[in-house]
Amino acid sequence: MYFDPLYLLIAAPFFILGIWAQFRVKSAYARGSKIRSRAGLSGGQVARAILDRNDMRAVSVEVSEGMLSDHYDPKAKVVRLSRGVYQGTDLAALGIAAHEVGHAIQDRTNYQMLAVRNAAVPMANIGSQMSWIVFFVGLFLSSSAPFLGKGIMWAGVGLFAMVVFFQMVNLPVEFDASNRAKAILVSDRFIGEDELPAVKKVLSAAAMTYVAATLTSVATLVYFILKAQGDRR
Ligand SMILES: [Zn+2]
């Protein structure tokens, strides 16, 4: 197995940040899911109510299997909530449900960054599947055929750059969905002002995992670029 200490040096801080962020999400969710909201509505009910109030009856709300598998499907126009969020009447559930509806509202209002993100998905998928293989084939070849090898390595860099691009345009989309969620939950009186901090904690912890993942891939891209430039130091 190929292993390069240079990669560890560049990426390790962000790996650790990522693990820490995952840990924070779990603990913020565990804490938030113990606080029942005063209004007593479930995540599923709140999602439905927000959609209806925004004239979005065509968007359905479904249960998805798997913990924290919550997402909005822009193709099927479905908000899918994990069982705990769908049925839960706690503040963590309401925050996550409203966040996913926030994505549906972004879709409905043609929020531009969402369109950019969705357009970047296919390229990012190709990039994440191919970049490492292409890059290391290039690295392998570069000792016997330097010119060809370098060319292939740079192709790998380009492929991985598409992953980084996706993650960067994903960040404002995620922050925007959370901001919408917090504003709607309070303004539509699903929660009181005093219940907002617990919701905020869950949503910021989730956002932090996206930030950590983005920083990790930026670090990986930097590593790829340094390797592709070669060892002429
Ligand atoms: Zn989201």
Side-chain angles (χ1 to χ4, degrees), residues 92-104:
L94 299 199
I96 293 167
H99 170 96
E100 299 311 334
V101 174
H103 286 309

Side-chain angles (χ1 to χ4, degrees), residues 104 137 143 233:
V137 166
S143 54
R233 258 171 268 169

Side-chain angles (χ1 to χ4, degrees), residues 53-211:
R53 286 182 195 187
N54 283 277
D55 245 354
M56 294 166 66
R57 281 170 194 83
V59 178
S60 52
V61 182
E62 291 174 1
V63 176
S64 74
E65 295 311 323
M67 197 178 158
L68 300 181
S69 57
D70 310 82
H71 65 280
Y72 168 65
D73 181 342
K75 280 208 188 93
K77 310 280 177 211
V78 177
V79 172
R80 296 206 182 90
L81 303 175
S82 57
R83 197 165 293 278
V85 169
Y86 187 87
Q87 294 173 341
T89 58
D90 54 87
L91 294 176
L94 299 199
I96 293 167
H99 170 96
E100 299 311 334
V101 174
H103 286 309
I105 295 172
Q106 289 173 337
D107 187 19
R108 162 73 187 256
T109 56
N110 295 318
Y111 172 65
Q112 269 185 349
M113 288 309 281
L114 183 75
V116 174
R117 177 184 88 161
N118 291 346
V121 170
M123 298 295 272
N125 283 339
I126 296 169
S128 67
Q129 282 161 16
M130 301 298 294
S131 56
W132 289 83
I133 303 164
V134 170
F135 186 82
F136 284 105
V137 166
L139 186 66
F140 179 74
L141 286 174
S142 62
S143 54
S144 51
F147 192 74
L148 178 69
K150 281 284 157 76
I152 295 174
M153 282 167 89
W154 280 110
V157 169
L159 284 164
F160 196 76
M162 299 192 301
V163 177
V164 175
F165 175 75
F166 166 78
Q167 292 194 317
M168 287 187 144
V169 295
N170 188 39
L171 288 182
V173 174
E174 292 303 332
F175 281 105
D176 179 80
S178 286
N179 288 337
R180 287 174 199 261
K182 287 178 274 188
I184 292 168
L185 283 174
V186 173
S187 70
D188 287 10
R189 296 176 193 282
F190 293 113
I191 62 168
E193 290 271 6
D194 58 316
E195 296 178 291
L196 190 57
V199 171
K200 265 189 188 161
K201 266 189 195 131
V202 173
L203 294 180
S204 336
M208 198 61 206
T209 63
Y210 287 112
V211 172

